[in-house]
Amino acid sequence: MTRVRDLLDDSGLPRLEARMLLEHVLDKPRAWLLAHDTDPAEPRVQASYMALVRRRLAGEPMAYLTGEREFMGHAFRVTPDVLIPRPDTELLVETAVALLQGRPGARVLDLGTGSGVIAVSIALACPHVYVSATDRSVAALAVARDNARALGANVHFFQGDWYEALPEGERFDLIVSNPPYIAGNDAHLTQGDLRFEPRGALTDGGNGLADLASIVVGAVCRLDPGGQLWVEHGWDQAEIVRDMLIQADFEDVISHTDLAGIERISGGKL
Ligand SMILES: C[S@@+](CC[C@H](N)C(=O)[O-])C[C@H]1O[C@@H](n2cnc3c(N)ncnc32)[C@H](O)[C@@H]1O
């Protein structure tokens, strides 16, 4: 007889990952597993669990196997159509939320929303602002819409290439974006979780700066006077992004560091 505990012990995965996959298959919390670890495991559960274990051993990201990732304290649905949200990106959301305090009615835009984590988290933290979000990927937008609905966030979604997705003449007080910024020849694209994520969410296929440049240049016509743009970028791109912002006539250009001390986001004011 195979017991619940045997499934955890014999998977070949780190204990935490095995437990998360079993919790997902059983749709039960950790406390249930602890209380029932000597129960017999049903053949149906065994089969589903072992299928996930095999996929994990082949390298598939945990978030795609469980279909979920936490961000800013909210559970977001993720699929292979969207980037897996990174904790680093919470810095961009925290910066936006701080800027939006005492700004009822402010208009916010999230470019390249993916699973919707940035737009939805801002909308939930600042219910008094008007949040729009875009993505080129129809499939990603479907996931973002689902997340907004499930979490009760009011976000207006548009599909298309960066600013072209938006109604003509629509302007904002704050634009945020975590665009693809990895260079197309970066070896990391062929390693770890990145192998399974949508290529178009990770890289512009060139030097990793083309989408950042499009977003910076295009923001000038989409921000109201005094409006701000903040973008996430790679660990070695802060100086070049600050230069882009200065060239585009942004003022008070500055970068903020993440918890690891890396300059992770840069922004400025028109
Ligand atoms: C790095 S992912 C960020 C996803 C999400 N905002 C996050 O932080 O987890 C970049 C997103 O930009 C979208 N994207 C890439 N090129 C685009 C373009 N030209 N116009 C609009 N969206 C684009 C991708 O589909 C992807 O969802």
Side-chain angles (χ1 to χ4, degrees):
M1 179 191 72
T2 304
R3 297 164 304 170
V4 166
R5 178 197 294 167
D6 301 328
L7 293 181
L8 294 176
D9 289 343
D10 302 338
S11 72
L13 291 175
R15 185 81 175 178
L16 176 66
E17 293 187 358
R19 184 164 60 68
M20 286 170 69
L21 293 181
L22 192 52
E23 283 169 17
H24 174 68
V25 168
L26 289 165
D27 195 19
K28 301 277 189 215
R30 183 176 185 194
W32 188 95
L33 280 193
L34 289 172
H36 293 82
D37 71 336
T38 54
D39 284 10
E42 285 176 32
R44 182 192 56 81
V45 167
Q46 286 186 48
S48 304
Y49 171 74
M50 287 313 298
L52 288 182
V53 167
R54 278 191 291 275
R55 288 170 61 189
R56 180 60 189 147
L57 289 171
E60 271 191 66
M62 284 296 290
Y64 290 156
L65 297 179
T66 61
E68 199 176 273
R69 180 51 52 95
E70 192 187 299
F71 184 87
M72 294 295 292
H74 309 295
F76 283 87
R77 186 168 85 81
V78 294
T79 74
D81 290 319
V82 299
L83 185 94
I84 300 165
R86 311 290 202 264
D88 293 341
T89 303
E90 294 190 349
L91 177 63
L92 187 61
V93 174
E94 286 160 3
T95 301
V97 169
L99 288 168
L100 292 166
Q101 292 315 299
R103 303 275 317 268
R107 300 174 69 83
V108 184
L109 171 64
D110 170 27
L111 289 168
T113 197
S115 60
V117 281
I118 297 173
V120 169
S121 299
I122 292 173
L124 291 174
C126 309
H128 55 284
V129 306
Y130 184 94
V131 182
S132 299
T134 74
D135 207 287
R136 183 175 57 183
S137 159
V138 174
L141 276 179
V143 175
R145 279 199 179 92
D146 276 359
N147 278 320
R149 201 176 308 119
L151 292 166
N154 190 17
V155 179
H156 307 267
F157 291 102
F158 301 93
Q159 189 267 325
D161 190 44
W162 300 133
Y163 300 96
E164 285 174 20
L166 297 163
E168 219 177 295
E170 187 150 347
R171 286 175 170 266
F172 300 88
D173 300 294
L174 174 63
I175 298 175
V176 290
S177 183
N178 173 21
Y181 54 71
I182 301 176
N185 62 0
D186 190 316
H188 292 99
L189 290 171
T190 58
Q191 297 165 11
D193 285 2
L194 275 63
R195 291 171 294 164
F196 294 87
E197 293 181 288
R199 181 58 67 126
L202 295 167
T203 178
D204 56 19
N207 65 359
L209 295 167
D211 288 321
L212 285 161
S214 300
I215 288 167
V216 170
V217 170
V220 175
C221 307
R222 290 293 186 165
L223 282 170
D224 274 331
Q228 297 204 23
L229 169 67
W230 283 88
V231 291
E232 180 173 319
H233 47 68
W235 63 273
D236 56 352
Q237 294 170 332
E239 191 175 345
I240 194 154
V241 172
R242 286 196 298 271
D243 284 346
M244 286 179 192
L245 288 161
I246 291 165
Q247 290 296 317
D249 277 346
F250 280 86
E251 294 173 357
D252 302 339
V253 171
I254 190 171
S255 302
H256 289 329
T257 51
D258 61 19
L259 291 175
I262 293 165
E263 288 183 317
R264 178 59 60 192
I265 65 170
S266 297
K269 186 172 80 176
L270 264 194

